[in-house]
Amino acid sequence: MTIDPKKSESNLKWYIVHTYSGFEHKVKTTLEERVKTLEQEAFFGKIVVPTEQVMELRKGKKKTSSRKFYPGYIMVQMAVTEETWHTVRNTAKVTGFVGGGSMPSPIPDEEAERILKQMEEGISKPKPKYFFEEGDEVRVIDGPFNNFQGTVEEVKPDKEKLRVLITIFGRPTPVELEFLQVNKV
């Protein structure tokens, strides 16, 4: 089955490819190189490792790191033919397509768009590494109340702050802290 390269953009669908966990970026790079070497660029679009940026506190400083949405998986935009299927399937550290017996099934375009949008939002505004709810037990890891434990009384997600009840001198005292200043116990 051959596809006219001028029409291939409309024939490209998103597929989920299962990889060895921890090798997602290596598989992406290797697959991109194979596509160029085999001159199959017309049959492939984007190859993406779904990740988001998260903020965390390390050694008293805010750090932004990358976290994978789906460890062990990458998204490949492609037109499936016998040749392109073999190109992906025979890439080192690829274990197969998700949802495919002999030929894989594409994911719905809406789902692919949702994941890509989630990635873009994560880049523009990094998320905190942890999410909190009222009643969560937390340990303070930064600031004047370092190493104190308390209970989350109120969550302010828009400001990324918490009101935590910490027992000081035998009395519960409400303290407002940033998400980054506490860890769940």
Side-chain angles (χ1 to χ4, degrees), residues 10-29:
S10 63
N11 293 327
L12 299 180
K13 298 286 184 200
W14 284 100
Y15 296 87
I16 304 293
V17 177
H18 188 258
T19 68
Y20 290 7
S21 191
F23 288 90
E24 299 87 354
H25 291 285
K26 179 76 172 146
V27 167
K28 175 185 185 295
T29 305

Side-chain angles (χ1 to χ4, degrees), residues 96-162:
F97 285 88
V98 171
S102 58
M103 281 294 163
S105 335
I107 61 170
D109 290 340
E110 305 81 47
E111 182 68 13
E113 290 302 318
R114 184 190 64 75
I115 293 169
L116 294 171
K117 186 177 180 212
Q118 191 176 355
M119 288 175 61
E120 286 174 21
E121 288 173 359
I123 290 170
S124 63
K125 186 174 186 240
K127 295 180 180 175
K129 190 167 184 175
Y130 301 105
F131 295 97
F132 301 96
E133 295 178 353
E134 290 180 21
D136 284 350
E137 291 292 319
V138 294
R139 176 183 301 277
V140 181
I141 58 169
D142 182 51
F145 300 103
N146 196 10
N147 288 327
F148 278 76
Q149 281 188 275
T151 306
V152 176
E153 185 179 51
E154 183 183 356
V155 180
K156 300 175 184 177
D158 51 326
K159 295 182 181 179
E160 296 185 5
K161 293 193 181 238
L162 303 166

Side-chain angles (χ1 to χ4, degrees), residues 54-66:
V54 292
M55 294 283 290
E56 57 188 329
L57 209 62
R58 285 195 204 148
K59 298 179 184 171
K61 295 184 180 179
K62 286 184 181 182
K63 297 275 183 184
T64 304
S65 60
S66 189

Side-chain angles (χ1 to χ4, degrees), residues 41-127:
E41 292 97 334
F43 300 98
F44 285 86
K46 298 176 185 168
I47 300 171
V48 177
V49 178
T51 56
E52 65 182 342
Q53 301 299 311
V54 292
M55 294 283 290
E56 57 188 329
L57 209 62
R58 285 195 204 148
K59 298 179 184 171
K61 295 184 180 179
K62 286 184 181 182
K63 297 275 183 184
T64 304
S65 60
S66 189
R67 177 174 63 188
K68 296 176 189 98
F69 293 148
Y70 310 111
Y73 297 94
I74 63 171
M75 292 175 49
V76 180
Q77 188 182 31
M78 62 184 279
V80 174
T81 65
E82 198 69 32
E83 295 81 23
T84 59
W85 183 86
H86 282 290
T87 299
V88 174
R89 192 67 186 85
N90 295 329
T91 299
K93 310 286 191 241
V94 168
T95 58
F97 285 88
V98 171
S102 58
M103 281 294 163
S105 335
I107 61 170
D109 290 340
E110 305 81 47
E111 182 68 13
E113 290 302 318
R114 184 190 64 75
I115 293 169
L116 294 171
K117 186 177 180 212
Q118 191 176 355
M119 288 175 61
E120 286 174 21
E121 288 173 359
I123 290 170
S124 63
K125 186 174 186 240
K127 295 180 180 175

